[in-house]
C-alpha cells in the first residue's frame, strides 16, 4: 500500500471511528444522566458488582479471534465459519456454568438479589457470541461507517428500554435489560451489514491454526478485564453497595472519556500497522509516531478537561453522587494515558507479538493489585490514586519494549507526548482561574469548557502544530468533497 493510500485510508478510518465514538459517548452520556437521576448509587452498585464476570465471559467467547483474523493475509469463509461455531459453543457453555454459579456469586457479595439479576446480565454475552465472526469481518475491513450506525441504533434502543423501565420502578433491573437490549441490537446490525451466513460444515482447523496467536490475546483480554474491573470487585467485597455505585459512576464517565480516543484508535491501529509490519523500521516509526501525536493531541486535553468539570456529576445527577467527583478527577489522570497504552498494544499485536502483549499486561495487573491492596487501609480514594499512578508509570514499560521491537527512541516519544500534556494542564489551570467568579453551576461548567477549549485551540494554531493543521485540513477537504 502506498504512503498516500495508507494515509487516506487511516484518516478516513479515524474520522468515522471518531464520529462513531463521539456519537456513542455523547448519547451514552445523555442516557446516563437520565438514569443517574432515576436510580441510586446502591442500584448502580448491584449491576457494577457483576461487571467483572460479564467482562471475562465476553473475552472467553471472543477468544482473541478478531485480532487473529485481522492478521491473516487472506481471510476466507472457513475462517469466519470456524470462529462463529466456536464462539457460539463457548458462549452457551459459559452461560450454563455462570447460571449455576449465580448463588455463589450472590453469597460472595452478600447480596441474595444477585442470583436472578446475574442470570439476566450474563445472558447478553450468549447473544454476543453469535455475532463474533461478523464483528471480526467489520473490524478487519475497517467498516467504521457501518459500525457507527450500528452503535447509534443500539444506544437509542437500549437507552429507551433502560429509561422506560427505570421510570416504571424496575430499579437495577432496568440496567440489566438495557445491557441485553444493547447487545441484541448490535448483533442484529452486524447481521444486516455483513451479508455472510455460517454453514453446517464444522471445520475447526482454522481455530487450531489461529489459536497459538489468539490464545495469548484471550489471556490478555481476560487480564485486561480483570484489571478494568478489579476495583469494583475489591470494593464490592470490602465496602457497601453505595460505595461501589459511586466508584462505578466515576469509572463510567472516565471510561466514556478515554474510550472516545481509544475506541477511535482501536478501529484502525492494528489493521494499519499490520499492513506495514513487513516494511522498514523507518516507515513503521513514522506511522507510529504520527498516531502517537494524534493520540496525545486528543487524550491530554480531553481527560484533563473532564477532571476540571468533574463536579458536573452533582450538577446533573444530584447530591447523592457527590462522592463520585473526587474519584472521577483521579481516574481522569489514568484515562489520559490509557489511549497511549492502546496504541502500544496494537503495535505488538500487529507484529504477531501477542505473547509480549500478554506478559506485559500480566505484569501490570499484578503490580496494580498488589499496590491497590497495600493502600486499602486508607480508603477508596487512596486505592484509586495508587491504581492511577501504576497506569501512568507503566507507559515506560511499553515504551522500553517498543524500542526493542521497532527502534523508536524514548526521547522521541517524550517529544510527541509531553508538550500536549503540559499545554493541556496549562489551559485547564487557566480555564479554572478565569471562571472562579462564576457561581452558577451550569454557567461555570459551560464557561470552563469554552475557555479551556478556546485556549487549547489557540495555542495549537499559534504554535502551528502539525497534527492540528493536518486534522483541520482533512476535515475541510472532506467537507468540500461532500458538497
Amino acid at each position: 500500500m502506498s504512503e498516500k493510500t495508507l494515509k487516506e485510508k487511516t484518516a478516513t478510518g479515524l474520522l468515522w471511528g471518531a464520529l462513531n465514538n463521539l456519537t456513542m459517548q455523547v448519547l451514552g452520556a445523555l442516557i446516563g444522566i437520565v438514569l443517574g437521576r432515576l436510580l441510586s448509587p446502591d442500584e448502580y452498585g448491584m449491576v457494577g458488582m457483576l461487571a467483572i464476570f460479564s467482562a471475562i465471559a465476553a473475552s472467553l467467547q471472543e477468544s482473541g479471534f478478531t485480532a487473529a483474523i485481522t492478521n491473516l493475509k487472506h481471510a476466507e469463509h472457513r475462517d469466519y465459519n470456524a470462529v462463529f461455531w466456536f464462539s457460539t459453543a463457548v458462549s452457551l457453555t459459559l452461560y450454563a456454568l455462570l447460571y449455576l454459579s449465580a448463588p455463589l456469586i450472590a453469597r460472595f457479595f452478600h447480596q441474595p438479589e444477585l442470583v436472578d439479576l446475574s442470570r439476566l446480565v450474563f445472558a447478553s454475552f450468549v447473544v454476543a457470541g453469535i455475532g463474533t465472526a461478523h464483528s471480526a469481518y467489520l473490524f478487519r475491513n475497517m467498516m467504521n461507517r457501518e459500525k457507527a450506525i450500528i452503535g447509534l441504533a443500539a444506544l437509542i434502543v437500549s437507552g429507551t428500554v433502560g429509561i422506560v423501565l427505570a421510570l416504571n420502578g424496575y430499579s437495577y433491573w432496568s440496567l440489566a435489560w438495557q445491557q441485553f437490549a444493547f447487545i441484541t441490537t448490535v448483533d442484529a446490525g452486524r447481521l444486516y451489514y455483513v451479508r455472510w451466513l455460517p454453514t453446517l460444515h464444522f471445520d475447526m482447523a482454522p481455530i487450531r491454526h489461529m489459536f497459538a496467536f489468539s490464545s495469548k490475546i484471550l489471556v490478555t483480554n481476560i487480564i485486561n478485564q480483570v484489571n478494568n474491573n478489579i476495583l469494583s470487585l475489591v470494593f464490592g467485597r470490602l465496602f457497601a453497595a453505595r460505595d461501589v455505585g459511586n466508584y462505578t459512576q466515576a469509572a463510567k464517565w472516565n471510561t466514556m472519556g478515554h474510550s472516545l480516543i481509544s475506541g477511535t484508535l482501536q478501529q484502525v491501529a492494528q489493521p494499519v500497522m499490520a499492513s506495514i509490519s513487513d516494511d522498514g523500521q523507518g516507515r513503521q516509526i513514522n506511522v507510529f509516531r504520527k498516531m502517537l501525536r494524534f493520540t496525545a493531541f486528543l487524550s491530554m486535553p480531553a481527560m484533563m478537561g473532564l477532571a476540571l468539570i468533574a463536579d458536573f456529576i452533582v450538577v446533573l445527577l444530584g447530591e447523592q453522587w457527590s462522592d463520585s467527583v473526587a474519584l472521577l478527577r483521579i481516574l481522569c489522570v489514568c484515562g489520559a494515558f490509557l489511549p497511549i497504552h492502546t496504541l502500544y498494544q496494537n503495535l505488538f499485536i500487529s507484529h504477531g507479538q501477542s505473547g509480549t502483549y500478554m506478559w506485559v499486561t500480566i505484569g501490570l495487573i499484578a503490580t496494580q493489585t498488589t499496590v491497590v491492596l497495600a493502600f486499602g487501609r486508607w480508603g477508596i480514594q487512596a486505592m484509586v490514586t495508587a491504581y492511577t499512578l501504576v497506569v501512568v508509570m507503566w507507559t515506560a514499560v511499553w515504551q522500553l519494549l517498543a524500542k526493542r521491537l521497532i527502534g523508536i527512541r524514548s526521547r522521541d516519544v517524550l517529544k510527541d507526548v509531553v508538550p500536549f500534556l503540559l499545554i493541556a494542564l496549562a489551559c485547564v489551570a487557566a480555564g479554572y482561574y478565569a471562571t472562579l467568579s462564576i457561581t452558577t453551576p451550569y454557567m461555570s461548567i459551560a464557561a470552563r469548557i469554552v475557555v479551556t477549549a478556546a485556549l487549547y485551540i489557540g495555542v495549537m494554531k499559534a504554535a502551528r502544530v502539525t497534527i492540528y493543521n493536518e486534522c483541520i485540513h482533512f476535515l475541510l477537504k472532506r467537507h468540500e468533497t461532500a458538497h
Side-chain angles (χ1 to χ4, degrees), residues 11-12 15 58 75 86 144 231 238 272 334 346:
T12 303
L15 175 63
F86 181 86
N144 294 329
L231 294 185
L238 299 179
V272 168
C334 166
N346 279 277

Side-chain angles (χ1 to χ4, degrees), residues 48 128 159 216 307 475:
K216 297 182 180 68
L475 289 174

Side-chain angles (χ1 to χ4, degrees), residues 362-441:
I362 289 174
L364 172 60
I365 190 173
T367 304
Q368 281 182 326
T369 304
T370 303
V371 173
V372 166
L373 292 176
F375 279 77
R377 69 181 71 178
W378 291 288
I380 288 180
Q381 284 193 30
M383 297 170 82
V384 174
T385 301
Y387 175 90
T388 295
L389 289 174
V390 174
V391 170
V392 174
M393 293 186 292
W394 208 258
T395 310
V397 177
W398 284 114
Q399 167 50 29
L400 177 64
L401 294 170
K403 182 179 180 181
R404 296 178 183 175
L405 181 67
I406 62 171
I408 185 170
R409 299 178 300 182
S410 297
R411 64 184 179 187
D412 288 333
V413 170
L414 291 174
K415 189 187 301 181
D416 292 335
V417 173
V418 173
F420 292 109
L421 173 60
L422 295 178
I423 293 170
L425 288 173
C427 292
V428 164
Y432 172 76
Y433 286 109
T435 57
L436 272 179
S437 60
I438 303 175
T439 56
T440 306

Side-chain angles (χ1 to χ4, degrees), residues 161-184:
V161 169
I163 291 170
V164 169
L165 291 178
L167 285 170
N168 285 276
Y170 280 83
S171 185
Y172 46 75
W173 287 101
S174 58
L175 298 174
W177 279 110
Q178 180 192 18
Q179 290 183 22
F180 188 83
F182 182 85
I183 295 297
T184 303

Side-chain angles (χ1 to χ4, degrees), residues 81-128:
N81 199 58
V83 168
F84 173 86
W85 289 113
F86 181 86
S87 296
T88 301
V90 169
S91 297
L92 291 171
T93 303
L94 285 171
Y95 182 68
L97 292 173
L98 286 171
Y99 184 94
L100 296 173
S101 301
L104 297 176
I105 295 171
R107 195 176 307 155
F108 177 83
F109 288 114
H110 312 296
Q111 299 285 350
E113 299 91 342
L114 287 179
V115 175
D116 292 331
L117 181 65
S118 64
R119 286 171 174 169
L120 171 59
V121 170
F122 298 152
S124 61
F125 64 79
V126 176
V127 181

Side-chain angles (χ1 to χ4, degrees), residues 14 24 69 99 144 219 230 248 297 357 467:
L14 286 170
M24 294 280 283
I69 283 181
Y99 184 94
N144 294 329
V219 172
I230 188 66
T248 301
F297 164 70
Y357 174 39
I467 196 70

Side-chain angles (χ1 to χ4, degrees), residues 57 99 126 196 218 220 261:
Y99 184 94
V126 176
W196 171 87
L218 165 62
T220 309
I261 299 99

